[in-house]
Amino acid sequence: MKILEINNSRKHFGDLEVLKDISLSVEKNQVVSIIGPSGSGKSTLLRCATLLETLDGGDLIYLGDYAAKADENGNAVYAAPEELKKIKMNFGLVFQNFNLFPHYSVLKNVMEAPVLVQKRNKDEVKEEAMELLRKMGLEDKADAYPFQLSGGQQQRVSIARALAMKPNILFFDEPTSALDPELTGEILKVIKDLAAEHMTMVIVTHEMAFARDVSDYIIFMDGGVIVEEGTPDQVINHPTQERTKLFLSRFKND
């Protein structure tokens, strides 16, 4: 079952074409990693997929529902706000800079959206939130505030917050880029555990060994296009494109 489909997507910022005819799909329980140099369009693709940016052209589809549909000229036409609101319930997003509410406790950060947006029962949400914090090794931090936590702990809270919405797919945008190497390991372990539980995920990452180990499918982007894609063995171990080989040669000691 396809959770996400992106067809012939295009995106400009002024005269700069950042995404050039990108198409991809993500199946249920699949982990897809997107790798590539800075400025290749990876984060823009993620922002378009999560409706933080709008596509100029192409389709964006969640479970068969069109968030954006190409018209006869290929331009992206977005669904009505009510429909988009419904579609947004399909995904969660973990940012590189945590984006926690600084004036809310850890528990309230995790509970806020399910209660306010999904209108779910507060006691039920609290129970689930505490279970998620337990899973993240943070149950003793429920009453703490973000400034009292390490970067790794903050990122684990933001993962718990995204999971609290029970999304069909979870997006990670460079989830370890703001962390030092020691804390990076703890976040990668959390994501590996989620992969073992068959959580559907799309991960933009510069951690090549991690991408190779955790992914079912890898997409290598450069200059706004998909240069190469396939299994980790195909893309990381046996790339066919010179551009991919050159990029990966920097990581050959991983």
Side-chain angles (χ1 to χ4, degrees):
M1 177 174 55
K2 282 190 176 68
I3 302 278
L4 169 68
E5 289 175 80
I6 297 175
N7 302 321
N8 310 115
S9 63
R10 301 191 321 273
K11 175 68 180 174
H12 289 81
F13 289 119
D15 294 334
L16 182 66
E17 193 176 14
V18 189
L19 299 178
K20 308 170 186 176
D21 196 24
I22 296 269
S23 296
L24 62 94
S25 64
V26 182
E27 301 279 339
K28 186 175 169 58
N29 302 339
Q30 192 177 35
V31 178
V32 176
S33 286
I34 303 175
I35 62 171
S38 295
S40 58
K42 309 183 301 291
S43 288
T44 300
L45 179 60
L46 218 64
R47 290 179 67 80
C48 289
T50 54
L51 300 170
L52 293 172
E53 300 276 1
T54 53
L55 290 168
D56 297 324
D59 304 322
L60 174 61
I61 310 162
Y62 280 96
L63 290 167
D65 293 327
Y66 281 82
K69 191 170 191 174
D71 64 13
E72 62 275 12
N73 299 315
N75 297 321
V77 178
Y78 277 79
E82 276 308 301
E83 179 66 12
L84 290 177
K85 199 171 162 188
K86 193 181 94 184
I87 286 170
K88 280 181 183 173
M89 295 294 178
N90 283 301
F91 59 78
L93 174 59
V94 177
F95 298 90
Q96 50 184 291
N97 294 321
F98 326 135
N99 282 31
L100 298 173
F101 296 116
H103 54 296
Y104 286 176
S105 69
V106 163
L107 183 60
K108 192 169 183 190
N109 262 288
V110 177
M111 288 178 62
E112 186 76 348
V115 172
L116 279 189
V117 179
Q118 295 180 328
K119 309 282 188 256
R120 286 166 51 203
N121 177 282
K122 199 169 178 179
D123 293 336
E124 186 185 302
V125 170
K126 184 175 181 180
E127 202 175 304
E128 288 175 12
M130 284 306 295
E131 183 51 44
L132 283 168
L133 290 176
R134 258 194 296 282
K135 192 171 167 177
M136 297 293 153
L138 292 170
E139 59 192 304
D140 59 333
K141 301 291 186 187
D143 297 324
Y145 286 81
F147 77 91
Q148 297 171 306
L149 306 178
S150 71
Q153 289 170 329
Q154 288 186 58
Q155 191 60 297
R156 279 183 278 155
V157 174
S158 63
I159 294 170
R161 182 179 63 178
L163 289 169
M165 297 289 280
K166 301 187 175 178
N168 290 309
I169 182 169
L170 202 47
F171 292 94
F172 292 87
D173 185 12
E174 298 275 16
T176 59
S177 67
L179 302 174
D180 64 40
E182 198 175 326
L183 298 176
T184 291
E186 68 182 60
I187 297 307
L188 298 182
K189 183 186 181 307
V190 168
I191 299 172
K192 280 183 179 173
D193 290 346
L194 291 173
E197 293 169 17
H198 306 298
M199 181 77 206
T200 309
M201 294 185 280
V202 176
I203 307 163
V204 169
T205 183
H206 57 270
E207 301 282 345
M208 293 304 123
F210 167 71
R212 181 188 60 215
D213 295 344
V214 82
S215 311
D216 301 302
Y217 200 76
I218 291 183
I219 291 169
F220 171 63
M221 285 180 70
D222 190 28
V225 299
I226 293 175
V227 175
E228 190 156 1
E229 57 186 311
T231 64
D233 186 51
Q234 288 167 330
V235 177
I236 305 267
N237 298 338
H238 304 99
T240 59
Q241 302 298 312
E242 282 311 312
R243 184 65 194 91
T244 319
K245 290 176 188 174
L246 185 64
F247 175 75
L248 290 170
S249 66
R250 293 170 25 222
F251 300 98
K252 62 180 181 295
N253 298 324
D254 267 12

